Amino acid sequence: MTDTWLTSLITAGPQEGFELAITLSRRGVKYTQPDGEVLHRLRPDYAENADSLIAGSQVVAVNFQTVAAANDYWR
Amino acid sequence: MTDTWLTSLITAGPQEGFELAITLSRRGVKYTQPDGEVLHRLRPDYAENADSLIAGSQVVAVNFQTVAAANDYWR
Amino acid sequence: MTDTWLTSLITAGPQEGFELAITLSRRGVKYTQPDGEVLHRLRPDYAENADSLIAGSQVVAVNFQTVAAANDYWR
Amino acid sequence: MTDTWLTSLITAGPQEGFELAITLSRRGVKYTQPDGEVLHRLRPDYAENADSLIAGSQVVAVNFQTVAAANDYWR
Amino acid sequence: MTDTWLTSLITAGPQEGFELAITLSRRGVKYTQPDGEVLHRLRPDYAENADSLIAGSQVVAVNFQTVAAANDYWR
Amino acid sequence: MTDTWLTSLITAGPQEGFELAITLSRRGVKYTQPDGEVLHRLRPDYAENADSLIAGSQVVAVNFQTVAAANDYWR
């Protein structure tokens, strides 16, 4: 990818940090499947499947660990 | 999402921290599937399925690591 | 949940810490499915299934990381 | 469980630490399914299944992180 | 493998770090299956499967934790 | 196992560290299934299956975290 989408892990607070973790999780998918058309077509497969949603939340949780540590837990 | 739901990772004690980890895990799902109606419909799929419950507990465990570290393990 | 079940992550030693990790893992399930009747009914689904047992041990391992760090690894 | 099986995370070296991680992973299973007869019966289900073996190695990897940190990586 | 592909975990910034995490994740696959022909044949199996894409993003997230820590989170 | 296969987590650089993570991941399998004949027979099950390869890369990623931390990220 040639666009710049990530210049810092520092966020104003934990909620923005959680949202950055969401972004990181989606980017982890996009690097493998950059075709937005395919991703759109797959959406019902995971957005309406409990196990996929839980697996997605797991990825967010791992990325949130990274962002939270980067921000010294916003203490 | 435009509502404010997370302003701090600091909690009064470990049990409140565990409950915050539950909240984080659920929010990780809601960012992907914000439709409460769909989530309600999916509930039996995971709440009565042993593997889904274990996978959910795994997400909570990862988020609890983050919250516990943020609170210096309430030592 | 309104009962108090977790007041500290500090334990007397590593075995008690491992058992606390078991408790945390089970609580992660109970917050999603508080109905003991349902959990009892699901027991054969995971207690006699190798992959479920391995997944359960994974959750315990993640929670044990947290408890062990909280106790400075009982050094 | 009433037997004492874990008194320290400190080991003589990394290989003993890896073997302790194996023990922790197996104990994570045994707390859920203490019946050795059942575990013996399940053995072919995971010991001859590639995905189960990989999942088992994942649990060991997580527990090895804990043991390695406890031993300051045997540096 | 005899080629040199990893000489440092230090990157110019977080986006380059994320891309290194992608590389690490792919290398983790290649060490098990070095045959590019097979990997090419398998591509539709994961690139058009929501659960595989999520699992892939999970691996990237774990590797990104390592790279981010190595770079002190680019603070 | 009675052979000595792991005497240190310290490596000359990150690539050797990644290769040690591969070794740790394979050993995590071998402790459960020491029979090389069985492992050889299972190889097509995972080496030509996208989800198994991703799961394997996840185990490597977790072990690489440990090795990288042991080496202070080769900084």
Side-chain angles (χ1 to χ4, degrees), chain C residues 8 10-11 18-19 23 26 30-32 35-37 39 42 45 47 51-53 56-57 60 65 68 73 75:
Chain C
S8 173
I10 306 305
T11 69
F18 196 82
E19 287 162 0
T23 299
R26 288 179 181 161
K30 269 192 182 169
Y31 274 92
T32 300
D35 186 337
E37 181 69 30
L39 293 174
L42 294 175
D45 290 357
D51 288 333
S52 303
L53 288 167
S57 184
V60 173
Q65 284 195 332
Y73 304 97
R75 279 185 294 220

Side-chain angles (χ1 to χ4, degrees), chain C residues 2 8 14 20 27 43 46-47 62 65 67:
Chain C
T2 51
S8 173
L20 176 53
R27 284 280 170 169
R43 190 174 156 77
Y46 62 87
V62 174
Q65 284 195 332
V67 176

Side-chain angles (χ1 to χ4, degrees), chain D residues 13-32:
Chain D
Q15 184 165 335
E16 291 85 347
F18 197 81
E19 287 163 0
L20 176 54
I22 305 271
T23 299
L24 292 167
S25 305
R26 288 178 181 161
R27 283 281 169 169
V29 167
K30 268 192 183 170
Y31 273 92
T32 300

Side-chain angles (χ1 to χ4, degrees), chain F:
Chain F
M1 293 184 185
T2 51
D3 62 324
T4 299
W5 61 275
L6 182 66
T7 57
S8 172
L9 296 180
I10 305 306
T11 69
Q15 185 166 334
E16 291 85 348
F18 196 81
E19 287 162 2
L20 176 54
I22 305 271
T23 299
L24 293 167
S25 305
R26 288 179 181 161
R27 283 282 169 168
V29 167
K30 268 192 182 169
Y31 274 92
T32 300
Q33 180 51 272
D35 186 337
E37 180 68 31
V38 174
L39 293 175
H40 184 74
R41 180 160 45 82
L42 293 176
R43 190 173 156 78
D45 289 357
Y46 63 86
E48 297 176 27
N49 180 294
D51 288 334
S52 303
L53 288 167
I54 293 169
S57 185
Q58 168 94 357
V59 181
V60 173
V62 174
N63 279 317
F64 186 55
Q65 285 195 331
T66 308
V67 176
N71 288 277
D72 198 22
Y73 304 97
W74 300 276
R75 282 185 291 219

Side-chain angles (χ1 to χ4, degrees), chain A residues 65, chain B residues 18 21 25 56-66, chain C residues 59 62-63 66:
Chain A
Q65 285 194 331
Chain B
F18 197 81
S25 305
S57 185
Q58 169 93 357
V59 181
V60 174
V62 174
N63 279 317
F64 186 56
Q65 284 195 332
T66 308
Chain C
V59 181
V62 174
N63 279 317
T66 308

Side-chain angles (χ1 to χ4, degrees), chain D residues 46-72:
Chain D
Y46 63 86
E48 297 177 28
N49 180 294
D51 288 333
S52 303
L53 288 167
I54 293 168
S57 185
Q58 169 93 355
V59 181
V60 174
V62 174
N63 278 317
F64 186 56
Q65 285 195 332
T66 308
V67 175
N71 287 277
D72 197 23

